[in-house]
Amino acid sequence: MNTTGAEALIRSLEKKGVEIIFGYPGGSVLQIYDLLRDSSIKHVLTRSEQAAAHAASGYSRVTGRVGVCLATSGPGATNLITGIATAYMDSIPLVAITGQVSTDMIGKDVFQEVDITGATAPFTKHNYLVKDVKELPRIVKEAFYIASTGRPGPVLIDIPKDVAAAVFEYTYPERVDIRGYKPNYEGHPLQIQKAVKAINRARQPVICAGGGVVSSGCHNELLKLAEKCKIPVAMTLMGLGSIPGEHELALGMFGMHGTYFANKAVSQADLIIAAGARFGDRAIGKRDKFAPNAKIVHIDIDPAEIGKNIDTYIPIVGDLKRVLAKILEGTEEVKEREWLNTIKKLKTEHPLKYEKSEKLKPQFVIEKLYQLTRGRAIVSTEVGQHQIWTAHFYKFSEPRRFITSGGLGTMGYGFPAAIGAQLGRPEERVITISGDGSFQMNLPELATALENNLPIKIIVLNNGTLGMVRQLQDFYCNGRHSCVDFKFVPDFSRIAESYGALGVRIQREDEVEDALKTVLNSDKPAVADVIIDSDEKVFPMVLNNSPLSEMIGGY
Amino acid sequence: MKHTLSVLVENHPGVLSRIAGLFSRRGFNIDSLAVGTTEVPDISRMTIVVNGDDYIVEQVKKQLNKLIDVIKISEIDPVNSVTRELVLIKVNADTSSRSEIIQIVEVFRANIVDVNKDSMIIEVVGDEGKVNAMQELLSQYGIKELVRTGVIGLNRGPKTIK
Ligand SMILES: Cc1ncc(C[n+]2csc(CCOP(=O)(O)OP(=O)(O)O)c2C)c(N)n1
């Protein structure tokens, strides 16, 4: 059947089961938008393209499906970039579609032309500039396949205007076959055997669970292994929810702002089983002092992560779910483990804590939120102190409930991501925990939330400052604060009201519970402007160039 | 330590820039890069000489492998292989030095491919050692211009990279 390129695109997306696109229109995508009017695919108009990319990412994180975003050429495409890079760093499957100027104009610096495939090459898993309309169906199919298999990631498709308008005979390919892309899912049996032996022999093992646990959906296997072999589990920021946060084997987060007991456990371990974690710099502290007594089993779908940051004793390339299932079969059940007593002692003697004072403490607010939602909310965060407090004090019961920018650390991510999350999981309660700095980066998305009746709750932990940077200046610049304290902060509750959302302001501890209840019970989007102590720090903290075992503060 | 990698890639526009970009942003040093089509029209072969220790070369291979357009990577055996580079050298050559230069060219089994009254162009094919030795000897006369293709190579014996 004869169709235009734009029609072929929409059909192919429908065929892939895409239910929602986040986007922003413009001149180079006119034909595509024209067809979206009548498509079964819902289009959500954000207030900037960056928010569209973040929303697609939030949608993907909660549903496990590929998120799709769409923008026009030039500035539309460049506005997507932060969202694409954020998704890339956290291995989130996205397909980003951009319009492009007509093929005969490419390279002539015409209006709204930008080389977006060139620009995004470093932080897309792959990208395409479609030069021949006949290739479009195959490219769409490949893009979804590449984005969602192996180590997931964003793929961009750049479609020139004339290609979208060109007419051709549309057929959708049955299969994809990309000769340069064959992810390896089965771990090597010999390596798995070695890992089993090492686990059976270990006395002080620790599992380090990363974002790979979430993307491979192997939390059940992980929990079984941990329970069967009595292995405590420390998590990276991306791995939170890998095992229930309240589980006795859960150590919470390890790393630069890890819990005391997680960092100590990792440092004292004789075996580390890294499951879908890449040993990022924020997770391991001083590299050559990381887990000095441990042999390392590293399981990852991406061979390039193995041996990149940390030397590995037993590398296993494969899908975590399959590999863990095999390891589980081979390992011996452990009845008693002395090591767990050590862990228990660390946990009871050095729990996560904070000092109370007359000023309102952010940790208290998050604890209350955790209690009131019984740990069952989907929580996104922005980037800063509030992000780490959330990671510490909201104990995630399962994966795909904590949505945060880990790898790129993108302020402005959390709120648009919550919009995507709420659209992906309409039945769930979605909360964004934000800072006054980050919230102002994508605040206009309040309009998107209102327009789409999304009852997202935004808790702004308002310290009037770029708290995390201020804290860094405290430690690394002798307390000289430079350009971090806002001289003007708006009243976020009144901003919310002007959008037609619910706005409340919380200043004292005794107001917190009632006010949060009001916010949570509202069926509208709601903003709680929570005025907190601006001197509050994130602890524990591992200073640059220190090993994880050397922490300051908070215990 | 130098490693010669043979990389089969999709013969698409943009592949070269993806590979060059990967090297520059990951801080890998390329000694030389030569690219051309192969016996299969839609596959190109790049020969990349990388300088680095085992860790670096391992990283280079793994990161290259992540590129969707890269089909296959293998290392050219440092001993059991044939590697060649073509170099053109324009060297000062007047009546007093010309015969000396011709002698050098003969010893190296190189070719003179252009002559005029002040200079000549010499074509050398060989491995790196030969090319470097030639360059050094000619430098006493004054090299005016020099261009190298970069190394290409194949493993000896029946085995192929496919
Ligand atoms: C887009 C972007 N710009 C700058 C930074 C650097 N940065 C990291 S945390 C932070 C402060 C965040 O302030 P706020 O959102 O108020 O959160 P708080 O730390 O006060 O909780 C900044 C500026 C960043 N992570 N992202």
Side-chain angles (χ1 to χ4, degrees):
Chain A
M1 199 204 339
N2 279 347
T3 66
T4 63
E7 265 177 277
L9 171 72
I10 301 294
R11 287 234 191 127
S12 305
L13 293 175
E14 287 169 350
K15 191 103 189 191
K16 282 305 314 174
V18 172
E19 48 183 30
I20 191 163
I21 294 179
F22 302 89
Y24 210 96
S28 311
V29 283
L30 279 181
Q31 292 110 325
I32 298 172
Y33 269 89
D34 188 42
L35 290 160
L36 270 176
R37 267 179 76 102
D38 301 322
S39 165
S40 63
I41 301 172
K42 178 182 169 79
H43 179 272
V44 174
L45 178 66
T46 51
R47 293 303 181 264
S48 83
E49 292 84 355
Q50 184 193 105
H54 290 332
S57 158
Y59 170 86
S60 171
R61 288 198 197 207
V62 296
T63 60
R65 305 166 56 108
V66 176
V68 182
C69 56
L70 170 61
T72 193
S73 65
T78 51
N79 267 357
L80 284 181
I81 280 183
T82 302
I84 294 172
T86 303
Y88 182 76
M89 291 297 278
D90 289 341
S91 308
I92 305 302
L94 289 192
V95 169
I97 300 161
T98 47
Q100 181 55 281
V101 302
S102 287
T103 40
D104 57 333
M105 300 292 203
I106 289 178
K108 311 234 159 64
D109 300 317
V110 297
F111 180 64
Q112 295 196 328
E113 178 188 0
V114 74
D115 172 13
I116 196 66
T117 46
T120 58
F123 42 81
T124 45
K125 192 168 167 188
H126 193 51
N127 63 29
Y128 297 89
L129 169 60
V130 188
K131 286 207 171 141
D132 178 352
V133 69
K134 291 198 277 308
E135 303 210 311
L136 190 59
R138 173 184 62 79
I139 286 175
V140 173
K141 184 147 184 159
E142 279 185 13
F144 277 82
Y145 176 69
I146 291 170
S148 59
T149 53
R151 178 181 184 173
V155 177
L156 180 133
I157 309 175
D158 197 24
I159 307 176
K161 212 173 156 164
D162 57 328
V163 171
V167 175
F168 75 119
E169 174 137 15
Y170 170 77
T171 49
Y172 191 69
E174 289 299 314
R175 295 185 325 117
V176 257
D177 180 29
I178 309 165
R179 52 190 166 184
Y181 179 66
K182 305 269 187 268
N184 181 6
Y185 295 105
E186 307 296 339
H188 194 288
L190 269 179
Q191 295 297 95
I192 291 177
Q193 245 178 48
K194 278 196 213 162
V196 166
K197 264 197 200 138
I199 292 171
N200 286 341
R201 225 176 271 153
R203 304 173 66 96
Q204 310 201 144
V206 173
I207 294 173
C208 291
V213 175
V214 180
S215 43
S216 85
C218 67
H219 49 289
N220 289 329
E221 288 79 0
L222 187 89
L223 184 61
K224 278 190 201 145
L225 179 67
E227 287 179 340
K228 180 178 178 188
C229 303
K230 300 233 166 7
I231 310 177
V233 181
M235 290 165 272
T236 67
L237 186 68
M238 296 307 298
L240 288 175
S242 291
I243 83 164
E246 301 275 20
H247 195 285
E248 61 169 351
L249 290 169
L251 297 172
M253 186 165 73
F254 70 103
M256 172 180 167
H257 287 303
T259 62
Y260 183 87
F261 35 94
N263 283 353
K264 284 289 184 190
V266 166
S267 304
Q268 291 169 22
D270 65 355
L271 183 75
I272 298 270
I273 304 139
R278 66 188 176 97
F279 295 116
D281 52 311
R282 292 293 156 116
I284 61 174
K286 191 175 167 63
R287 186 204 293 222
D288 48 9
K289 297 259 177 69
F290 175 74
N293 309 318
K295 290 184 167 164
I296 292 179
V297 177
H298 193 175
I299 314 164
D300 207 295
I301 187 94
D302 181 359
E305 286 305 341
I306 291 176
K308 185 175 88 180
N309 297 335
I310 289 283
D311 285 340
T312 302
Y313 178 62
I314 305 171
I316 305 178
V317 177
D319 171 40
L320 204 50
K321 195 175 168 83
R322 300 191 203 183
V323 172
L324 284 184
K326 296 232 175 79
I327 290 181
L328 190 59
E329 276 171 29
T331 45
E332 292 153 14
E333 189 169 342
V334 175
K335 289 262 150 35
E336 198 80 43
R337 206 190 265 291
E338 180 55 33
W339 173 228
L340 290 192
N341 297 332
T342 315
I343 300 277
K344 202 174 200 172
K345 199 159 163 241
L346 283 170
K347 272 178 142 181
T348 42
E349 287 176 5
H350 307 277
L352 270 178
K353 65 172 185 220
Y354 57 94
E355 307 293 332
K356 294 250 175 168
S357 74
E358 337 61 278
K359 291 192 182 143
L360 181 51
K361 294 291 168 166
Q363 300 94 328
F364 174 81
V365 180
I366 297 169
E367 277 179 333
K368 266 281 164 269
L369 205 57
Y370 176 62
Q371 287 160 12
L372 291 173
T373 55
R374 290 191 293 283
R376 298 288 306 161
I378 289 174
V379 178
S380 77
T381 74
E382 299 289 347
V383 173
Q385 294 179 307
H386 62 275
Q387 177 187 33
I388 307 297
W389 289 319
T390 307
H392 284 164
F393 289 92
Y394 202 101
K395 318 275 183 212
F396 293 91
S397 55
E398 55 182 44
R400 303 203 177 280
R401 294 204 162 262
F402 181 46
I403 300 164
T404 198
S405 165
L408 200 66
T410 307
M411 291 171 70
Y413 175 75
F415 179 35
I419 288 176
Q422 185 74 79
L423 283 155
R425 286 268 173 269
E427 72 292 353
E428 296 276 355
R429 187 193 289 294
V430 177
I431 299 172
T432 298
I433 298 181
S434 187
D436 48 315
S438 297
F439 188 40
Q440 292 186 76
M441 287 216 171
N442 270 319
L443 195 151
E445 295 307 318
L446 274 173
T448 313
L450 263 292
E451 199 166 81
N452 290 279
N453 299 313
L454 306 176
I456 298 165
K457 315 302 176 201
I458 302 137
I459 314 296
V460 184
L461 296 176
N462 184 349
N463 51 11
T465 180
L466 299 170
M468 189 56 109
V469 179
R470 190 174 197 261
Q471 173 167 346
L472 293 176
Q473 292 177 348
D474 283 331
F475 284 95
Y476 299 115
C477 310
N478 294 321
R480 285 192 311 276
H481 294 156
S482 173
C483 310
V484 286
D485 293 330
F486 290 121
K487 293 192 189 75
F488 172 77
V489 182
D491 179 336
F492 294 108
S493 65
R494 286 176 58 201
I495 288 183
E497 280 165 5
S498 81
Y499 274 95
L502 175 73
V504 301
R505 199 150 222 259
I506 306 176
Q507 282 167 299
R508 293 196 324 270
E509 200 175 294
D510 58 10
E511 298 171 341
V512 171
E513 182 152 350
D514 284 347
L516 285 182
K517 277 187 185 156
T518 312
V519 164
L520 291 170
N521 291 334
S522 160
D523 53 6
K524 288 201 290 191
V527 177
D529 191 358
V530 190
I531 312 301
I532 58 160
D533 183 352
S534 52
D535 278 325
E536 191 59 22
K537 304 267 183 298
V538 172
F539 287 129
M541 179 173 180
V542 177
L543 293 178
N544 290 348
N545 263 321
S546 295
L548 285 190
S549 54
E550 287 170 25
M551 289 162 270
I552 47 170
Y555 53 87
Chain B
M1 174 68 181
K2 281 190 181 164
H3 298 257
T4 308
L5 303 178
S6 206
V7 186
L8 298 180
V9 301
E10 296 287 346
N11 186 7
H12 288 162
V15 176
L16 185 61
S17 93
R18 276 184 219 274
I19 291 191
L22 187 145
F23 273 82
S24 73
R25 76 175 167 272
R26 297 220 176 243
F28 303 144
N29 290 320
I30 303 185
D31 247 46
S32 76
L33 188 155
V35 55
T37 49
T38 62
E39 72 284 3
V40 185
D42 59 352
I43 295 181
S44 299
R45 191 194 271 247
M46 292 189 182
T47 309
I48 307 176
V49 180
V50 196
N51 215 336
D53 55 19
D54 289 349
Y55 168 80
I56 298 276
V57 175
E58 184 72 25
Q59 278 298 308
V60 170
K61 285 196 221 163
K62 283 175 165 177
Q63 294 298 342
L64 279 174
N65 248 323
K66 284 181 74 163
L67 297 179
I68 309 288
D69 286 333
V70 169
I71 301 164
K72 173 118 198 191
I73 302 169
S74 43
E75 197 163 341
I76 300 277
D77 191 307
V79 184
N80 207 8
S81 63
V82 182
T83 57
R84 290 287 182 272
E85 184 171 21
L86 169 70
V87 185
L88 297 175
I89 305 171
K90 187 180 285 178
V91 62
N92 287 327
D94 52 23
T95 39
S96 64
S97 60
R98 190 162 291 147
S99 61
E100 263 178 58
I101 295 175
I102 291 172
Q103 266 187 5
I104 295 173
V105 167
E106 274 169 7
V107 172
F108 276 85
R109 286 198 225 116
N111 292 313
I112 295 165
V113 290
D114 181 57
V115 187
N116 60 54
K117 72 179 193 340
D118 304 316
S119 69
M120 46 198 193
I121 299 178
I122 295 162
E123 169 200 84
V124 200
V125 175
D127 60 15
E128 219 192 352
K130 174 172 169 183
V131 168
N132 288 347
M134 181 87 186
Q135 184 181 340
E136 205 183 301
L137 274 176
L138 292 177
S139 61
Q140 57 182 309
Y141 308 103
I143 292 175
K144 296 169 69 134
E145 253 182 325
L146 183 149
V147 55
R148 318 172 70 129
T149 57
V151 174
I152 56 170
L154 291 176
N155 285 329
R156 288 186 191 273
K159 256 185 38 198
T160 57
I161 298 167
K162 276 251 161 69

